[in-house]
Amino acid sequence: MDKHPTSPATYSSPYLQNPFSKRDGAAKQIRAVRDKIITDLNLRYGLDLPKDYGRRYNPSIQRKESLADQCSRHIEFLSLWQDRVHIPAVIQDFEEWAQPVLMKWIPKEKQEQGTLYSQSILSFNRQNAIATAASFTPEQKLHLLEELERRLGEECKLMGDSEVYSRSSSSVRETSVNGKTEPKLSVQRIDKLLKRKKPSSTPVPSVDLLKLSELAYGTQDDTIAKRQSPSKDRQVSTASISKSSDSAESKGSLHHATSFETTASSTPPVIFSQSNATDLTSAATSFVETSESQSTDLFPSQEALEIANDEEFKASFTEACRGSFEPDLQPLSPSSDTGVIVKGLESSGPFAREDGTVLPTIPFRNRYELQRIANVFGISVKELVLQVNGEEPNLQSLWQDARKFTPKHQMMPEKSSMDAWNSAQNTFFHESGSSVTLWGSLEWAHPPNKGMFRVQLQPLKLERSCRFHRKFGADRFFTLRVPSLEASAAHSTFGSVDQVHGAIATWLARSTHCFLGREWRAFYVEKEKRRSKESKEKEGFKVYFFAVDGFDFASTNSFSPLNERTKSRTKLELEKFLNWHLHLSENLGSTDCKLFQRIRLGLSKTHPTVIFEQAEFIHLPDKEPVMNDGCARISMSAAIHISEILGLQNVPSVFQGRIAGAKGMWMVDSDEKFQKLSDRRFAIEISDSQLKILPHPQNCELDIEQRTFEVTEWSRPPRPASLTTQFLTILRARGVPEEVLKDALLDETHSYFESLKESLSDPLLLRTWLQTVQHYARSPNGIRYLGSWPDDHHEQSIQLLESEFLPANCPALRELLRDFLKKYFDHYIDKLAITIPRSTYVYCIADPYGVLAEDEIHLGFSENWKDSKTGFSDNIVDGVEVLVSRSPALLPSDIQRRKACWKRELRHFKDVVVFPTTGQEPLASLLSGGDYDGDRVIVVWDHAFVSNFQNVGFLKSSPSENACHLENVSKKLSVVAQDKDQAALVDAIVTASFSFNLKSDFLGLCNVEHEKLVYATNTLSSSGAILLATLAGYLVDASKQGWSLSLDAWNQVRAESGCKGLGYPAYKQDQPSRHKPTNIIDFLKFEVAFPERETKLTEFAQMWPQEQFTDSHLTVCWTTARDLAERERKHNADSRLHDALANLSIEVDQVIDEWRKKSSQRNSQDERHFTKLVEHLFERFCSITPLHSEHLSIAPCAWENENSRWNSLRASCLYTKHRSSNLVWYMVGQDLCQMKLKASKNAEKGPNRTVCSSIYSTLQVNAKLARRVKNLEVEELEGDDIGKGSDDEEVDGTSY
């Protein structure tokens, strides 16, 4: 056997030789465990334990060493022998002692069985208040060192005194287990272990009998295989069977057999593994507890092995140990009840008690990024942290370090944006007011034997903030996308749909979820619509979590003080958080379903503006009938201040917002029309219909965040509106000729295509076309880049045009334009969104003065409305009839014909439509059940449409809720609150609401069946169509009203409506052969739009018959260098440049080869996969460096910050060899544009200018000025006129 290096200061004994030193990798594994223990102790307690290898240790010899040296020596000695059996238990003992000392905790008298390492140093799951190492005083650290040395020393002495290490034997006694040499354990040693813990009835994980060494020294693959096969080869383990068991049997007791297994695994934790532990990185461990034995004989390993292999014994022993905890250890079957699934999710699910992977010294944003990387590669964060600097403040450096220790064949996940990363440093807020959001997705595990779920975290991103973020901190909120149960058959592995649904709802709502070193509680769920039409996934849900506690949280008497930092949040229970928002005691008259939906007010993405004082609120009582539902007024002085905060040049007519417990629209009115104003002339009305959460802010003191007027939107100058297929169906049914609709379609498509053709020959006109016709506007967050190229296709086109590329000489630009054209027609054919020049979408508000008659509306604009076809130009619509409607529109009466009458009293309400408050029912409510809290309606004043439209009256009586077979499951909050404290009430509301809202509703199916029925019967007025339309109206508010529709009830509705067995319309399945010419949608799609698309795309393609084009401006750098290399090699015998170019060519080809291989994979169309692949290849491409950088042709210029000469050569090489690949622009787009711009420089145009990105991202083209310049009118303009457009319209300061 190999011996440790001897030292004169150590006693050499053959019994101290490591009996396992011949095992492959054993020494490395021992060192890894030893290093982890010392590192973790140092991180947690700041003990400064040294790592000093190679010195022989004998516990019987005393040295003059520091306490830290002695502790390290003890750990080193123990790690040579039973490192994975004994050391974690010793550390557990030490930490149990340390916790009450350092934190003044009162230790539990009885520790639950199965939680042996839940708080160990190998499992940093601290009870939230443990101070960091830096906070410990020198006296505390000395006290810690003394106690740690005492406990480790006792363990070492025990090991040295046991017969295993006795000098009376010539060698270590060994026994063979499955062909492997194993050391025997003394009963004294086992007894010592047994004294540490007293077992309870809580179930614990189990491992194979007597396979201690296999667990301690087995391979990682073996361990993973065991975890993935929990029902096989895993029985209750024991290390001792007492020879004198009579006493135990006489008492009718059973020896408690306890084991704990942890493994280093490259896979996520298995949800229903029989292990309650989730420490995937600590050494594999088996710990055994049994009753204390008085015998001092050695444990008979061979005898025990024979007993262990006895099938009769194993069966009886397993049955005896089963007891009350057997359900937790049984593999889950479809017949398992909900409770078992919940326990499995809690113990081994994606948010089970954490295993010490999160270190308190690592900033929260770093924890998140490292967790994202670890999840993608199936490794533990702790394993990653030991390899990288987890506290690295630079995102790029952190990712580069992580890349070194992750599998090279896998791509790194998408990196968080730098803006989001920098903003997450302290407050999680950007200077713009946006907040950094945490979000991820809960996905079904495939295959299901790896558990029920796996979690994928998404990059940090900036979004508009919400009230909760501003009050409690954005880092305390986490959004999780949860799949629908119907989205996968994976749930069938674990139980029926009802069982799994109930378990998931209960687990989400009631369990504490451990994640990123914090404890989270779910508090809200809502449906999430399908992200794209092409997605085959069913609609899922969004679940919102709140961090109630964490090791970086403090327990104070303060309620989330202002200006809290991310690293010092305040502990807050879920019930206190929700009560701050919901005022539970004030809203007992509401229902649980309705009040639960009011949580959404705190999550709305808003702009915080003015803080109102209590005296500035005005209570506006509702009058029956309520004609202004959701609408009230705000003073002009307050509106001016709000507009200034929002950065608006003009005060809009209305704001859509939230304040306190109210939501809705606020109309701006002059100060003089308010009877009560504050000193600053602020006033805001809140009506009863607006107030969703009591009390009224006029009657109580609220926090600043609750008195802040939060703006979601405001009225803006409108644009022409587009019709939907529902509108088209009603228009045709009510008398509008199909020729009118056909002409409207062809007029729009012709105008779009002709404007594109006119712009193709000039970069400025084409740039203008992108802005005006394509209606492209930059995001407030600026331009996002992917690799070296803008991520957005519009920005790609803009950069090409601004670099002097044209469609004629740039196939990439040509392809982008063709893509715009194709998407335009595809969208047109799919949606038939015909734009009507004399129509618009605007917010509807209620007439506050009652000047409009019941059949009148008022519509005015802040800018002149122009229609070039008819010559209409005005800022009001007056004296004409109009059509008004609201989406969805399923009933014939959902489009109404009214009169547009301009009223002087309403002249200040612009860019909105004012509906009357006279009559018996509000017009908004008659349009498919709308109101005035933010609904937008379409108004059409095109004579061709209005003159042919025949009005239809409203239904006098529509089907009731009972007629639609709906059941109300909501409960009065006062009933739910009986005999409950605040915490129990919140649990009851959240649990019931999660169970109700996590069920897929029938709204989508109802709309589909209605569409099929109308298509088949060619009428909107049948009793079946009205029944389905009415049911859809109820289902829109089902989550708030508590309406539930069972599958049986839905089938009954289908039978009564007559929609069973009907096929889909031809226009839904793109089947021209079976289209119905009498159906307006089929007619427009197949007989008008289809031929128009083919004609226009063909004409566009024929403009440039040459598909490929080689731009010599982009290839000259490479070809010149290549020619120079050939000359130098031939004439000067200098092959350095030749070799460098050859090496560059090879590496460039390798990048393209990887792109072609991975982009052709099955998931290559997935946007996230594409993003990750491009980022990965861009990183690889940028790492290509010159082979002989000293050569003059490729050496960087001394005055340049970057290797621009090499970058140009590298870019030119890639373009020359692979210009047809669309990867080229993502790799070297910026370089190619610079090369083109320099080569195309025209002295007559003046020098090009460089603009910083922060300014450039705000610039836009002035369309009028651009046309005048191209019409050669620029010479006629005086210097003062250059800054103005036509009609003396002033150019925006951010235009160019």
Side-chain angles (χ1 to χ4, degrees):
M1 298 182 181
D2 296 337
K3 297 181 179 180
H4 291 290
T6 59
S7 172
T10 58
Y11 174 79
S12 179
S13 169
Y15 310 115
L16 299 180
Q17 299 168 2
N18 182 2
F20 306 111
S21 59
K22 288 186 178 181
R23 299 212 173 190
D24 293 340
K28 182 177 179 181
Q29 200 167 17
I30 290 171
R31 284 196 300 271
V33 173
R34 174 179 52 198
D35 289 351
K36 288 180 182 179
I37 293 172
I38 292 177
T39 299
D40 293 341
L41 283 168
N42 287 337
L43 286 171
R44 177 59 75 186
Y45 298 105
L47 299 181
D48 297 325
L49 303 180
K51 298 177 184 177
D52 189 8
Y53 310 131
R55 296 175 59 185
R56 185 68 60 83
Y57 177 84
N58 189 332
S60 64
I61 294 181
Q62 302 295 325
R63 298 188 186 86
K64 292 183 179 180
E65 294 179 312
S66 67
L67 285 173
D69 289 334
Q70 292 178 43
C71 290
S72 291
R73 205 66 59 234
H74 292 327
I75 293 172
E76 182 176 13
F77 170 70
L78 293 175
S79 66
L80 296 175
W81 297 93
Q82 301 294 334
D83 56 315
R84 304 186 187 192
V85 177
H86 306 304
I87 294 183
V90 179
I91 301 300
Q92 169 71 15
D93 288 349
F94 168 71
E95 292 204 281
E96 286 182 348
W97 168 86
Q99 288 173 15
V101 172
L102 296 177
M103 304 175 57
K104 304 186 183 305
W105 283 4
I106 300 176
K108 296 180 181 179
E109 294 182 1
K110 293 183 179 181
Q111 178 83 5
E112 288 188 3
Q113 191 176 12
T115 60
L116 180 59
Y117 301 111
S118 65
Q119 295 178 349
S120 71
I121 196 66
L122 297 176
S123 174
F124 287 128
N125 185 26
R126 284 293 156 279
Q127 294 296 325
N128 310 316
I130 289 185
T132 60
S135 66
F136 295 151
T137 66
E139 291 77 15
Q140 285 176 318
K141 292 183 180 180
L142 178 61
H143 193 32
L144 291 169
L145 281 170
E146 290 174 346
E147 184 63 21
L148 179 62
E149 194 280 331
R150 183 183 70 78
R151 293 175 181 271
L152 289 170
E154 287 182 358
E155 190 76 2
C156 291
K157 188 174 185 302
L158 176 65
M159 296 289 289
D161 290 343
S162 67
E163 188 169 349
V164 174
Y165 303 97
S166 173
R167 299 182 193 178
S168 62
S169 174
S170 60
S171 63
V172 178
R173 297 188 182 186
E174 300 172 342
T175 185
S176 177
V177 180
N178 293 340
K180 297 181 179 180
T181 302
E182 304 291 343
K184 289 187 177 180
L185 301 179
S186 67
V187 173
Q188 181 183 7
R189 168 70 196 131
I190 296 173
D191 290 344
K192 171 68 177 176
L193 294 174
L194 295 176
K195 291 177 182 177
R196 287 203 182 94
K197 287 282 181 185
K198 297 299 181 184
S200 67
S201 60
T202 304
V204 296
S206 58
V207 296
D208 294 345
L209 287 167
L210 302 177
K211 295 198 176 178
L212 303 176
S213 295
E214 286 185 12
L215 284 173
Y217 298 99
T219 64
Q220 186 179 20
D221 293 339
D222 294 337
T223 309
I224 295 172
K226 292 175 186 175
R227 292 183 69 86
Q228 292 178 344
S229 304
S231 62
K232 198 173 183 179
D233 295 332
R234 188 173 292 187
Q235 305 295 332
V236 180
S237 68
T238 181
S240 174
I241 303 172
S242 176
K243 294 182 179 180
S244 53
S245 60
D246 295 340
S247 60
E249 292 177 0
S250 64
K251 297 178 183 178
S253 64
L254 176 69
H255 296 302
H256 292 279
T258 306
S259 70
F260 182 90
E261 174 188 324
T262 61
T263 61
S265 172
S266 62
T267 60
V270 179
I271 188 171
F272 292 123
S273 165
Q274 295 182 16
S275 170
N276 286 342
T278 58
D279 186 350
L280 304 181
T281 59
S282 60
T285 305
S286 177
F287 176 69
V288 181
E289 294 188 12
T290 186
S291 61
E292 183 176 354
S293 173
Q294 303 300 321
S295 172
T296 58
D297 294 338
L298 292 177
F299 179 73
S301 301
Q302 188 62 39
E303 179 183 347
L305 181 62
E306 295 172 358
I307 295 174
N309 289 329
D310 186 281
E311 295 298 328
E312 183 178 352
F313 166 77
K314 287 198 290 185
S316 62
F317 189 80
T318 301
E319 183 66 29
C321 291
R322 186 166 293 164
S324 62
F325 57 83
E326 178 61 14
D328 287 340
L329 300 180
Q330 285 294 308
L332 192 65
S333 66
S335 61
S336 301
D337 60 28
T338 298
V340 176
I341 306 176
V342 173
K343 288 182 180 179
L345 286 165
E346 289 178 337
S347 64
S348 302
F351 301 120
R353 184 64 60 177
E354 290 187 302
D355 58 355
T357 58
V358 181
L359 306 181
T361 57
I362 298 179
F364 185 73
R365 61 175 182 173
N366 294 53
R367 295 180 227 160
Y368 187 84
E369 288 297 289
L370 292 173
Q371 186 70 60
R372 289 182 57 229
I373 297 171
N375 285 2
V376 169
F377 293 106
I379 59 179
S380 81
V381 175
K382 186 174 181 182
E383 184 179 348
L384 195 58
V385 168
L386 290 175
Q387 305 293 343
V388 303
N389 178 14
E391 302 179 42
E392 171 61 53
N394 185 279
L395 179 62
Q396 187 67 25
S397 300
L398 181 68
W399 277 65
Q400 288 176 352
D401 288 347
R403 173 78 273 187
K404 297 175 184 177
F405 301 100
T406 51
K408 302 303 180 184
H409 65 280
Q410 289 183 259
M411 292 185 298
M412 292 284 281
E414 182 183 353
K415 193 184 305 180
S416 297
S417 72
M418 284 304 302
D419 280 343
W421 172 260
N422 294 332
S423 302
Q425 183 173 3
N426 291 315
T427 64
F428 261 62
F429 276 88
H430 189 261
E431 58 185 9
S432 65
S434 300
S435 59
V436 182
T437 56
L438 313 175
W439 57 294
S441 57
L442 195 66
E443 302 171 354
W444 293 109
H446 297 287
N449 62 5
K450 290 187 176 181
M452 185 179 288
F453 293 120
R454 64 187 182 96
V455 174
Q456 291 295 332
L457 301 181
Q458 302 305 320
L460 296 172
K461 66 176 183 178
L462 290 172
E463 289 185 340
R464 192 188 303 179
S465 64
C466 65
R467 185 184 303 179
F468 287 159
H469 287 186
R470 295 187 286 270
K471 171 63 178 176
F472 300 100
D475 58 293
R476 295 188 73 155
F477 295 88
F478 174 63
T479 306
L480 189 69
R481 293 190 176 108
V482 177
S484 170
L485 287 180
E486 290 79 10
S488 172
H491 63 271
S492 61
T493 306
F494 306 100
S496 67
V497 173
D498 290 339
Q499 288 172 344
V500 175
H501 169 268
I504 294 174
T506 302
W507 168 65
L508 287 171
R510 306 200 67 147
S511 300
T512 298
H513 307 276
C514 299
F515 180 56
L516 300 173
R518 295 182 176 182
E519 295 181 358
W520 306 75
R521 289 289 307 274
F523 67 92
Y524 186 71
V525 60
E526 65 182 355
K527 291 179 178 62
E528 182 187 38
K529 294 184 178 181
R530 192 182 305 172
R531 297 176 216 170
S532 63
K533 180 180 180 295
E534 292 75 20
S535 175
K536 296 182 180 180
E537 294 185 1
K538 294 182 179 292
E539 295 180 358
F541 303 91
K542 289 168 68 174
V543 177
Y544 297 84
F545 294 82
F546 175 70
V548 297
D549 205 350
F551 61 61
D552 51 358
F553 280 40
S555 297
T556 67
N557 295 326
S558 175
F559 186 86
S560 190
L562 291 174
N563 302 319
E564 253 189 348
R565 297 285 178 168
T566 301
K567 58 184 178 182
S568 58
R569 294 297 184 195
T570 302
K571 178 179 178 181
L572 186 65
E573 292 82 1
L574 180 66
E575 59 270 19
K576 293 181 180 178
F577 156 61
L578 287 181
N579 188 59
W580 174 85
H581 179 66
L582 296 176
H583 303 279
L584 296 170
S585 61
E586 299 277 351
N587 291 276
L588 295 178
S590 182
T591 64
D592 53 356
C593 289
K594 185 172 291 186
L595 194 63
F596 179 80
Q597 292 302 318
R598 301 314 183 196
I599 296 175
R600 192 70 185 80
L601 289 177
L603 292 167
S604 298
K605 304 298 184 183
T606 58
H607 300 281
T609 60
V610 169
I611 301 173
F612 281 88
E613 301 298 332
Q614 183 177 350
E616 294 171 337
F617 291 101
I618 300 174
H619 179 208
L620 183 64
D622 284 343
K623 298 178 181 179
E624 294 295 335
V626 180
M627 303 295 290
N628 63 335
D629 186 3
C631 196
R633 297 181 303 154
I634 189 172
S635 68
M636 175 62 74
S637 295
I640 291 173
H641 196 179
I642 292 170
S643 300
E644 290 175 351
I645 295 175
L646 294 174
L648 304 179
Q649 293 183 351
N650 300 307
V651 178
S653 296
V654 297
F655 293 102
Q656 182 185 23
R658 285 97 173 87
I659 189 168
K663 65 184 285 283
M665 298 293 292
W666 276 268
M667 305 174 288
V668 179
D669 211 348
S670 63
D671 295 346
E672 290 73 19
K673 293 185 179 179
F674 288 84
Q675 295 180 356
K676 174 185 173 184
L677 287 170
S678 66
D679 292 340
R680 54 179 180 168
R681 304 181 67 80
F682 279 16
I684 181 171
E685 294 177 339
I686 295 182
S687 67
D688 292 336
S689 61
Q690 287 180 313
L691 194 61
K692 310 303 180 182
I693 304 173
L694 297 174
H696 197 287
Q698 185 188 48
N699 304 325
C700 68
E701 294 184 6
L702 298 175
D703 280 358
I704 288 177
E705 291 82 8
Q706 294 170 319
R707 290 185 284 109
T708 300
F709 188 73
E710 303 165 339
V711 178
T712 57
E713 260 299 344
W714 55 89
S715 57
R716 306 168 187 262
R719 296 189 307 198
S722 298
L723 303 178
T724 67
T725 55
Q726 292 176 348
F727 292 157
L728 290 171
T729 300
I730 297 177
L731 288 171
R732 183 70 189 96
R734 303 312 309 154
V736 178
E738 63 180 24
E739 286 300 318
V740 171
L741 300 174
K742 174 184 175 181
D743 291 344
L745 187 156
L746 293 176
D747 285 347
E748 184 187 357
T749 57
H750 178 77
S751 174
Y752 180 91
F753 185 74
E754 289 302 315
S755 64
L756 174 60
K757 283 176 57 179
E758 294 172 359
S759 308
L760 291 174
S761 60
D762 188 273
L764 180 57
L765 291 180
L766 194 51
R767 172 68 179 87
T768 305
W769 180 86
L770 288 171
Q771 179 178 299
T772 55
V773 180
Q774 280 290 106
H775 303 299
Y776 173 70
R778 286 195 177 102
S779 165
N781 295 327
I783 303 171
R784 182 177 180 272
Y785 284 84
L786 180 58
S788 179
W789 203 228
D791 191 30
D792 183 84
H793 284 189
H794 289 90
E795 289 295 345
Q796 293 175 10
S797 303
I798 289 171
Q799 179 147 9
L800 289 171
L801 290 169
E802 292 176 350
S803 301
E804 295 289 330
F805 286 102
L806 281 172
N809 60 21
C810 183
L813 178 58
R814 190 185 311 159
E815 183 61 26
L816 286 168
L817 295 175
R818 192 195 72 85
D819 185 60
F820 292 147
L821 190 62
K822 184 177 183 303
K823 285 182 178 178
Y824 169 81
F825 278 106
D826 288 347
H827 177 77
Y828 217 94
I829 289 175
D830 181 52
K831 301 294 184 181
L832 284 180
I834 303 173
T835 300
I836 309 301
R838 281 168 289 165
S839 72
T840 189
Y841 265 112
V842 286
Y843 287 114
C844 61
I845 59 175
D847 176 9
Y849 315 125
V851 297
L852 288 171
E854 187 176 356
D855 63 343
E856 294 177 338
I857 63 102
H858 171 95
L859 179 62
F861 307 111
S862 58
E863 300 175 357
N864 266 9
W865 189 280
K866 295 183 178 181
D867 176 15
S868 58
K869 182 178 179 180
T870 62
F872 176 86
S873 177
D874 206 341
N875 61 356
I876 62 171
V877 179
D878 184 32
V880 297
E881 291 191 325
V882 300
L883 302 179
V884 292
S885 185
R886 172 183 171 272
S887 185
L890 302 179
L891 293 170
S893 59
D894 283 342
I895 297 181
Q896 286 294 305
R897 185 171 173 174
R898 290 291 188 268
K899 297 177 183 178
C901 296
W902 187 83
K903 301 291 184 180
R904 181 176 178 80
E905 298 86 344
L906 304 174
R907 64 188 181 279
H908 54 289
F909 294 131
K910 299 177 180 179
D911 303 327
V912 295
V913 60
V914 186
F915 282 177
T917 51
T918 53
Q920 295 302 311
E921 194 167 358
L923 178 57
S925 176
L926 296 174
L927 301 178
S928 60
D931 53 31
Y932 299 108
D933 70 351
D935 288 2
R936 294 207 310 161
V937 298
I938 185 174
V939 183
V940 180
W941 62 95
D942 188 309
H943 180 72
F945 285 81
V946 179
S947 62
N948 291 287
F949 186 87
Q950 300 173 8
N951 238 359
V952 63
F954 300 101
L955 293 175
K956 294 183 178 180
S957 61
S958 58
S960 66
E961 294 89 344
N962 290 334
C964 293
H965 303 282
L966 291 167
E967 177 188 2
N968 197 290
V969 298
S970 64
K971 298 178 182 178
K972 276 285 186 181
L973 203 62
S974 56
V975 176
V976 179
Q978 290 180 359
D979 302 323
K980 292 184 179 68
D981 59 14
Q982 190 179 87
L985 175 59
V986 167
D987 275 349
I989 295 173
V990 173
T991 302
S993 299
F994 264 65
S995 179
F996 176 63
N997 287 283
L998 276 172
K999 293 179 180 178
S1000 298
D1001 61 24
F1002 291 91
L1003 177 58
L1005 289 175
C1006 188
N1007 287 325
V1008 169
E1009 293 300 320
H1010 177 270
E1011 189 174 19
K1012 289 161 64 175
L1013 182 61
V1014 171
Y1015 183 80
T1017 60
N1018 204 29
T1019 178
L1020 290 161
S1021 304
S1022 67
S1023 59
I1026 292 175
L1027 176 64
L1028 290 171
T1030 306
L1031 174 59
Y1034 290 133
L1035 292 177
V1036 167
D1037 282 335
S1039 59
K1040 181 173 65 178
Q1041 302 297 338
W1043 294 119
S1044 176
L1045 185 69
S1046 67
L1047 180 60
D1048 291 339
W1050 167 242
N1051 287 329
Q1052 192 168 351
V1053 169
R1054 293 183 66 206
E1056 292 176 5
S1057 63
C1059 65
K1060 273 192 172 183
L1062 297 179
Y1064 286 95
Y1067 61 80
K1068 280 290 185 182
Q1069 297 183 315
D1070 287 342
Q1071 296 179 339
S1073 60
R1074 51 179 289 262
H1075 87 278
K1076 298 168 65 174
T1078 56
N1079 181 275
I1080 187 60
I1081 311 300
D1082 275 358
F1083 168 74
L1084 293 175
K1085 182 171 186 174
F1086 297 118
E1087 298 187 25
V1088 182
F1090 261 37
E1092 179 74 356
R1093 178 183 64 177
E1094 297 307 312
T1095 299
K1096 301 304 184 193
L1097 288 177
T1098 301
E1099 183 177 350
F1100 183 83
Q1102 291 174 347
M1103 294 179 184
W1104 302 282
Q1106 180 184 358
E1107 287 294 329
Q1108 292 300 325
F1109 177 87
T1110 301
D1111 195 325
S1112 59
H1113 295 153
L1114 308 183
T1115 60
V1116 64
C1117 182
W1118 172 253
T1119 56
T1120 301
R1122 192 174 52 190
D1123 294 342
L1124 177 60
E1126 288 297 323
R1127 290 196 302 271
E1128 288 183 350
R1129 190 176 64 161
K1130 290 181 179 180
H1131 302 296
N1132 303 331
D1134 185 355
S1135 62
R1136 289 179 301 162
L1137 181 57
H1138 179 273
D1139 295 343
L1141 297 184
N1143 182 72
L1144 171 60
S1145 179
I1146 292 173
E1147 295 201 52
V1148 163
D1149 290 344
Q1150 290 174 350
V1151 170
I1152 293 295
D1153 289 343
E1154 183 176 357
W1155 161 255
R1156 288 169 178 165
K1157 178 181 178 182
K1158 292 184 176 179
S1159 62
S1160 62
Q1161 293 175 355
R1162 183 181 304 176
N1163 60 342
S1164 61
Q1165 299 303 314
D1166 180 72
E1167 184 177 348
R1168 295 178 190 168
H1169 173 83
F1170 175 80
T1171 299
K1172 290 194 297 184
L1173 179 57
V1174 171
E1175 288 181 342
H1176 163 71
L1177 293 175
F1178 182 66
E1179 181 181 345
R1180 177 176 177 179
F1181 183 82
C1182 290
S1183 67
I1184 301 176
T1185 55
L1187 189 61
H1188 298 290
S1189 59
E1190 73 280 2
H1191 195 282
L1192 182 62
S1193 297
I1194 54 179
C1197 297
W1199 52 269
E1200 291 180 311
N1201 294 327
E1202 298 181 1
N1203 301 337
S1204 60
R1205 187 176 298 178
W1206 170 251
N1207 291 346
S1208 298
L1209 182 60
R1210 190 172 55 185
S1212 183
C1213 173
L1214 179 63
Y1215 173 82
T1216 304
K1217 299 193 68 177
H1218 304 284
R1219 57 185 175 275
S1220 61
S1221 173
N1222 58 351
L1223 180 68
V1224 169
W1225 293 95
Y1226 288 100
M1227 297 295 101
V1228 295
Q1230 298 300 317
D1231 296 308
L1232 296 180
C1233 287
Q1234 289 294 326
M1235 295 163 63
K1236 181 68 174 179
L1237 199 56
K1238 290 179 181 179
S1240 304
K1241 184 168 57 177
N1242 190 333
E1244 296 179 359
K1245 298 179 181 179
N1248 296 316
R1249 298 181 63 179
T1250 303
V1251 183
C1252 67
S1253 58
S1254 60
I1255 295 179
Y1256 174 78
S1257 61
T1258 66
L1259 300 179
Q1260 59 180 354
V1261 173
N1262 183 281
K1264 296 183 178 66
L1265 183 59
R1267 294 190 185 95
R1268 292 172 68 180
V1269 169
K1270 299 317 297 181
N1271 289 332
L1272 301 180
E1273 296 177 358
V1274 67
E1275 291 92 355
E1276 301 175 8
L1277 294 175
E1278 298 296 334
D1280 293 339
D1281 294 333
I1282 292 292
K1284 295 181 178 292
S1286 61
D1287 301 327
D1288 293 331
E1289 179 188 357
E1290 194 169 321
V1291 178
D1292 193 305
T1294 58
S1295 300
Y1296 67 86

